[in-house]
Amino acid sequence: MARETEVKTIEWIDGQVRIIDQTRLPNRLVYVILDTYPSVLKAITRLQIRGAPAIGIAAAFGMVLGMRAARTETYGAFRRKFDRIKREFLETRPTGVNVSNALDRLEKRVNGNRDASVREIQDVLLQEALRIYEEDRTTCRKIGRNGAELLRDGWVVMTHCNAGALATADYGTALGCIYAAVEEEKRIRVYVDETRPLLQGARLTAWELQRAGIAVTLICDSMAAWVMQTREVNCVLVGADRIAANGDIANKIGTYGLAVSAKEHGIPFYVAAPTASFDLSLDTGTSIPIEERDGSEITRGFGRRTAPEGVQTYNPAFDVTPASFVTAIICETGIATPPYGESIPRLVKTR
Ligand code: MRU
């Protein structure tokens, strides 16, 4: 059943992609139509759509748009165009594994239909992209139900960035667990870090939770450790962009610091993510590519200069939290606990 507050982050409507322009939130809820693959590339790069599962879906729909525009009759030319567009999407946001997972699925469909006409392959690609979208919707519900088991009535949860409906097809991963717990009539309160430099926590998570009627308190990132020490925080619950085979987790910059603080304060640190976010080709998180973004996001965020002209900056968009800080990983297929080398393959296999 649809929630009254359902957020239509991304949809395929009449041959076009419709997204919420997340750069306009929380001030305005604006939908944007994307009808070419370059416009989808741009929307991903500019973070009009963001969050690992949502950009995986956007890349899949973007590929469909790109391949629909292919003016070729031969499989070889079609295939070369597919490879070129795939490379362009892979370069947009390298940390999350969902883009490459989604495009690998489409690639398999292209490979498996060598004898079909270009028109038929175009249709097959659209069906696969729609399947990725629908699967994410059901996956998030399952993650929510599994995660809700860990959250007790009256708990206070701290979260970072946005791993909610705005980061997925609907419902979210970390926030999905909170929504599911609240649907079970548990009283849950949430501290959300504002998440510098792009303020996904303040602009998106606070908006989303408030809209869903969930008690949310916004804090600056720098306050998190102090809040853990002086107020009640029962768990930290975040999403993930890529999870290595040993349970190391890449997520929004600042996640690692939260995990260290949580451990110091004896607070469980939970990660909620679909099995599509696992990258079992990586033994550990050290080889996860970390996206670096323009320094102007730190010095001139949201149009106002807040640092001297010419100052050097370093702006990694993600960090990697070692598995030793992670209490449990909540997936659609169950909950993984240490040792992750054993529990993660089990969860992925039951996918
Ligand atoms: O840079 P963003 O806003 O795309 O970063 C998003 C995050 O770090 C999320 O926590 C992650 O993608 C999980 S979303 C379910």
Side-chain angles (χ1 to χ4, degrees), residues 286-310:
T286 47
S287 35
I288 296 177
I290 298 295
E291 175 187 357
E292 263 188 57
R293 295 185 61 89
D294 201 276
S296 61
E297 289 180 352
I298 305 178
T299 57
R300 264 196 287 118
F302 305 97
R304 179 157 183 262
R305 174 161 288 288
T306 52
E309 193 97 49

mmCIF file of all heavy atoms in Angstrom, residues 286-310:
data_model
loop_
_atom_site.group_PDB
_atom_site.id
_atom_site.type_symbol
_atom_site.label_atom_id
_atom_site.label_comp_id
_atom_site.label_asym_id
_atom_site.label_seq_id
_atom_site.Cartn_x
_atom_site.Cartn_y
_atom_site.Cartn_z
ATOM 1 N N THR A 286 39.721 -1.158 0.951
ATOM 2 C CA THR A 286 40.827 -0.238 0.595
ATOM 3 C C THR A 286 40.837 0.084 -0.898
ATOM 4 O O THR A 286 41.324 1.142 -1.284
ATOM 5 C CB THR A 286 42.203 -0.812 1.004
ATOM 6 O OG1 THR A 286 42.258 -2.170 0.563
ATOM 7 C CG2 THR A 286 42.434 -0.751 2.498
ATOM 8 N N SER A 287 40.286 -0.809 -1.733
ATOM 9 C CA SER A 287 40.320 -0.490 -3.171
ATOM 10 C C SER A 287 39.002 0.120 -3.674
ATOM 11 O O SER A 287 38.815 0.271 -4.886
ATOM 12 C CB SER A 287 40.704 -1.735 -3.978
ATOM 13 O OG SER A 287 40.175 -2.898 -3.386
ATOM 14 N N ILE A 288 38.110 0.490 -2.774
ATOM 15 C CA ILE A 288 36.886 1.182 -3.226
ATOM 16 C C ILE A 288 37.287 2.581 -3.726
ATOM 17 O O ILE A 288 37.950 3.327 -3.003
ATOM 18 C CB ILE A 288 35.847 1.305 -2.084
ATOM 19 C CG1 ILE A 288 35.362 -0.089 -1.656
ATOM 20 C CG2 ILE A 288 34.661 2.173 -2.524
ATOM 21 C CD1 ILE A 288 34.386 -0.100 -0.479
ATOM 22 N N PRO A 289 36.900 2.931 -4.959
ATOM 23 C CA PRO A 289 37.256 4.271 -5.452
ATOM 24 C C PRO A 289 36.470 5.346 -4.698
ATOM 25 O O PRO A 289 35.250 5.221 -4.532
ATOM 26 C CB PRO A 289 36.838 4.233 -6.930
ATOM 27 C CG PRO A 289 35.860 3.117 -7.050
ATOM 28 C CD PRO A 289 36.116 2.152 -5.935
ATOM 29 N N ILE A 290 37.172 6.348 -4.232
ATOM 30 C CA ILE A 290 36.502 7.418 -3.483
ATOM 31 C C ILE A 290 36.376 8.655 -4.375
ATOM 32 O O ILE A 290 37.385 9.211 -4.831
ATOM 33 C CB ILE A 290 37.293 7.765 -2.192
ATOM 34 C CG1 ILE A 290 37.356 6.550 -1.261
ATOM 35 C CG2 ILE A 290 36.664 8.967 -1.478
ATOM 36 C CD1 ILE A 290 36.029 6.069 -0.690
ATOM 37 N N GLU A 291 35.135 9.042 -4.614
ATOM 38 C CA GLU A 291 34.876 10.218 -5.460
ATOM 39 C C GLU A 291 35.377 11.475 -4.761
ATOM 40 O O GLU A 291 35.087 11.693 -3.591
ATOM 41 C CB GLU A 291 33.356 10.319 -5.682
ATOM 42 C CG GLU A 291 32.917 11.550 -6.443
ATOM 43 C CD GLU A 291 31.386 11.682 -6.494
ATOM 44 O OE1 GLU A 291 30.662 10.797 -5.989
ATOM 45 O OE2 GLU A 291 30.929 12.705 -7.038
ATOM 46 N N GLU A 292 36.141 12.285 -5.518
ATOM 47 C CA GLU A 292 36.538 13.606 -4.994
ATOM 48 C C GLU A 292 35.781 14.663 -5.766
ATOM 49 O O GLU A 292 35.741 14.622 -6.986
ATOM 50 C CB GLU A 292 38.035 13.810 -5.176
ATOM 51 C CG GLU A 292 38.811 13.469 -3.934
ATOM 52 C CD GLU A 292 40.276 13.844 -4.044
ATOM 53 O OE1 GLU A 292 40.578 15.018 -4.293
ATOM 54 O OE2 GLU A 292 41.098 12.929 -3.878
ATOM 55 N N ARG A 293 35.189 15.588 -5.049
ATOM 56 C CA ARG A 293 34.386 16.601 -5.721
ATOM 57 C C ARG A 293 35.057 17.970 -5.616
ATOM 58 O O ARG A 293 36.029 18.151 -4.902
ATOM 59 C CB ARG A 293 32.964 16.616 -5.131
ATOM 60 C CG ARG A 293 32.237 15.291 -5.414
ATOM 61 C CD ARG A 293 30.811 15.298 -4.954
ATOM 62 N NE ARG A 293 30.003 16.319 -5.603
ATOM 63 C CZ ARG A 293 29.346 16.129 -6.741
ATOM 64 N NH1 ARG A 293 29.423 14.982 -7.391
ATOM 65 N NH2 ARG A 293 28.606 17.093 -7.250
ATOM 66 N N ASP A 294 34.496 18.911 -6.368
ATOM 67 C CA ASP A 294 35.103 20.234 -6.461
ATOM 68 C C ASP A 294 35.170 20.926 -5.096
ATOM 69 O O ASP A 294 34.212 20.869 -4.310
ATOM 70 C CB ASP A 294 34.269 21.081 -7.424
ATOM 71 C CG ASP A 294 35.063 22.238 -7.956
ATOM 72 O OD1 ASP A 294 35.123 23.280 -7.268
ATOM 73 O OD2 ASP A 294 35.649 22.083 -9.043
ATOM 74 N N GLY A 295 36.301 21.578 -4.862
ATOM 75 C CA GLY A 295 36.502 22.272 -3.580
ATOM 76 C C GLY A 295 35.520 23.405 -3.346
ATOM 77 O O GLY A 295 35.297 23.812 -2.197
ATOM 78 N N SER A 296 34.915 23.907 -4.418
ATOM 79 C CA SER A 296 33.968 25.015 -4.244
ATOM 80 C C SER A 296 32.763 24.581 -3.399
ATOM 81 O O SER A 296 32.075 25.420 -2.816
ATOM 82 C CB SER A 296 33.490 25.530 -5.606
ATOM 83 O OG SER A 296 32.839 24.477 -6.291
ATOM 84 N N GLU A 297 32.521 23.258 -3.315
ATOM 85 C CA GLU A 297 31.413 22.789 -2.451
ATOM 86 C C GLU A 297 31.717 23.126 -0.985
ATOM 87 O O GLU A 297 30.796 23.271 -0.178
ATOM 88 C CB GLU A 297 31.223 21.273 -2.611
ATOM 89 C CG GLU A 297 30.637 20.891 -3.963
ATOM 90 C CD GLU A 297 30.438 19.389 -4.135
ATOM 91 O OE1 GLU A 297 30.901 18.612 -3.265
ATOM 92 O OE2 GLU A 297 29.831 18.991 -5.147
ATOM 93 N N ILE A 298 33.015 23.236 -0.651
ATOM 94 C CA ILE A 298 33.392 23.572 0.733
ATOM 95 C C ILE A 298 33.520 25.084 0.904
ATOM 96 O O ILE A 298 33.131 25.636 1.932
ATOM 97 C CB ILE A 298 34.746 22.919 1.101
ATOM 98 C CG1 ILE A 298 34.711 21.408 0.865
ATOM 99 C CG2 ILE A 298 35.136 23.237 2.540
ATOM 100 C CD1 ILE A 298 36.036 20.710 1.172
ATOM 101 N N THR A 299 34.051 25.759 -0.106
ATOM 102 C CA THR A 299 34.365 27.183 0.068
ATOM 103 C C THR A 299 33.222 28.107 -0.332
ATOM 104 O O THR A 299 33.173 29.260 0.096
ATOM 105 C CB THR A 299 35.590 27.566 -0.791
ATOM 106 O OG1 THR A 299 35.289 27.243 -2.167
ATOM 107 C CG2 THR A 299 36.838 26.827 -0.349
ATOM 108 N N ARG A 300 32.312 27.571 -1.202
ATOM 109 C CA ARG A 300 31.227 28.443 -1.704
ATOM 110 C C ARG A 300 29.935 27.667 -1.769
ATOM 111 O O ARG A 300 29.165 27.776 -2.726
ATOM 112 C CB ARG A 300 31.566 28.920 -3.128
ATOM 113 C CG ARG A 300 32.224 30.268 -3.181
ATOM 114 C CD ARG A 300 32.177 30.863 -4.589
ATOM 115 N NE ARG A 300 33.103 30.196 -5.492
ATOM 116 C CZ ARG A 300 32.727 29.526 -6.578
ATOM 117 N NH1 ARG A 300 31.463 29.412 -6.920
ATOM 118 N NH2 ARG A 300 33.627 28.951 -7.353
ATOM 119 N N GLY A 301 29.685 26.832 -0.751
ATOM 120 C CA GLY A 301 28.481 26.001 -0.775
ATOM 121 C C GLY A 301 27.241 26.865 -0.879
ATOM 122 O O GLY A 301 27.138 27.881 -0.197
ATOM 123 N N PHE A 302 26.335 26.484 -1.766
ATOM 124 C CA PHE A 302 25.039 27.153 -1.900
ATOM 125 C C PHE A 302 25.187 28.657 -2.197
ATOM 126 O O PHE A 302 24.428 29.483 -1.724
ATOM 127 C CB PHE A 302 24.168 26.881 -0.672
ATOM 128 C CG PHE A 302 24.028 25.397 -0.440
ATOM 129 C CD1 PHE A 302 24.846 24.752 0.476
ATOM 130 C CD2 PHE A 302 23.135 24.646 -1.185
ATOM 131 C CE1 PHE A 302 24.762 23.373 0.656
ATOM 132 C CE2 PHE A 302 23.045 23.265 -1.022
ATOM 133 C CZ PHE A 302 23.859 22.627 -0.095
ATOM 134 N N GLY A 303 26.270 28.966 -2.937
ATOM 135 C CA GLY A 303 26.362 30.299 -3.526
ATOM 136 C C GLY A 303 26.991 31.384 -2.677
ATOM 137 O O GLY A 303 27.112 32.516 -3.123
ATOM 138 N N ARG A 304 27.398 31.083 -1.446
ATOM 139 C CA ARG A 304 27.975 32.146 -0.619
ATOM 140 C C ARG A 304 29.387 31.749 -0.227
ATOM 141 O O ARG A 304 29.590 30.645 0.283
ATOM 142 C CB ARG A 304 27.103 32.352 0.621
ATOM 143 C CG ARG A 304 27.628 33.414 1.530
ATOM 144 C CD ARG A 304 26.534 33.996 2.421
ATOM 145 N NE ARG A 304 27.124 35.057 3.203
ATOM 146 C CZ ARG A 304 27.536 34.907 4.446
ATOM 147 N NH1 ARG A 304 27.410 33.747 5.058
ATOM 148 N NH2 ARG A 304 28.085 35.918 5.100
ATOM 149 N N ARG A 305 30.357 32.633 -0.471
ATOM 150 C CA ARG A 305 31.742 32.318 -0.130
ATOM 151 C C ARG A 305 31.905 32.281 1.391
ATOM 152 O O ARG A 305 31.532 33.218 2.085
ATOM 153 C CB ARG A 305 32.678 33.370 -0.745
ATOM 154 C CG ARG A 305 34.123 33.229 -0.341
ATOM 155 C CD ARG A 305 35.060 33.953 -1.265
ATOM 156 N NE ARG A 305 35.192 33.290 -2.556
ATOM 157 C CZ ARG A 305 35.847 32.147 -2.765
ATOM 158 N NH1 ARG A 305 36.443 31.540 -1.759
ATOM 159 N NH2 ARG A 305 35.907 31.616 -3.952
ATOM 160 N N THR A 306 32.466 31.163 1.897
ATOM 161 C CA THR A 306 32.641 31.042 3.354
ATOM 162 C C THR A 306 34.090 30.718 3.699
ATOM 163 O O THR A 306 34.396 30.319 4.821
ATOM 164 C CB THR A 306 31.733 29.916 3.913
ATOM 165 O OG1 THR A 306 31.964 28.724 3.159
ATOM 166 C CG2 THR A 306 30.271 30.294 3.864
ATOM 167 N N ALA A 307 34.998 30.849 2.711
ATOM 168 C CA ALA A 307 36.428 30.619 2.959
ATOM 169 C C ALA A 307 37.191 31.560 2.040
ATOM 170 O O ALA A 307 36.649 32.003 1.021
ATOM 171 C CB ALA A 307 36.783 29.164 2.641
ATOM 172 N N PRO A 308 38.445 31.875 2.417
ATOM 173 C CA PRO A 308 39.156 32.853 1.582
ATOM 174 C C PRO A 308 39.410 32.329 0.168
ATOM 175 O O PRO A 308 39.640 31.139 -0.019
ATOM 176 C CB PRO A 308 40.475 33.062 2.334
ATOM 177 C CG PRO A 308 40.601 31.908 3.257
ATOM 178 C CD PRO A 308 39.220 31.433 3.572
ATOM 179 N N GLU A 309 39.357 33.247 -0.784
ATOM 180 C CA GLU A 309 39.662 32.935 -2.198
ATOM 181 C C GLU A 309 41.026 32.259 -2.276
ATOM 182 O O GLU A 309 41.960 32.670 -1.588
ATOM 183 C CB GLU A 309 39.692 34.267 -2.953
ATOM 184 C CG GLU A 309 39.684 34.174 -4.452
ATOM 185 C CD GLU A 309 38.268 34.359 -4.994
ATOM 186 O OE1 GLU A 309 37.592 35.333 -4.582
ATOM 187 O OE2 GLU A 309 37.880 33.508 -5.792
ATOM 188 N N GLY A 310 41.127 31.211 -3.037
ATOM 189 C CA GLY A 310 42.434 30.590 -3.293
ATOM 190 C C GLY A 310 42.870 29.568 -2.259
ATOM 191 O O GLY A 310 43.918 28.943 -2.412
#
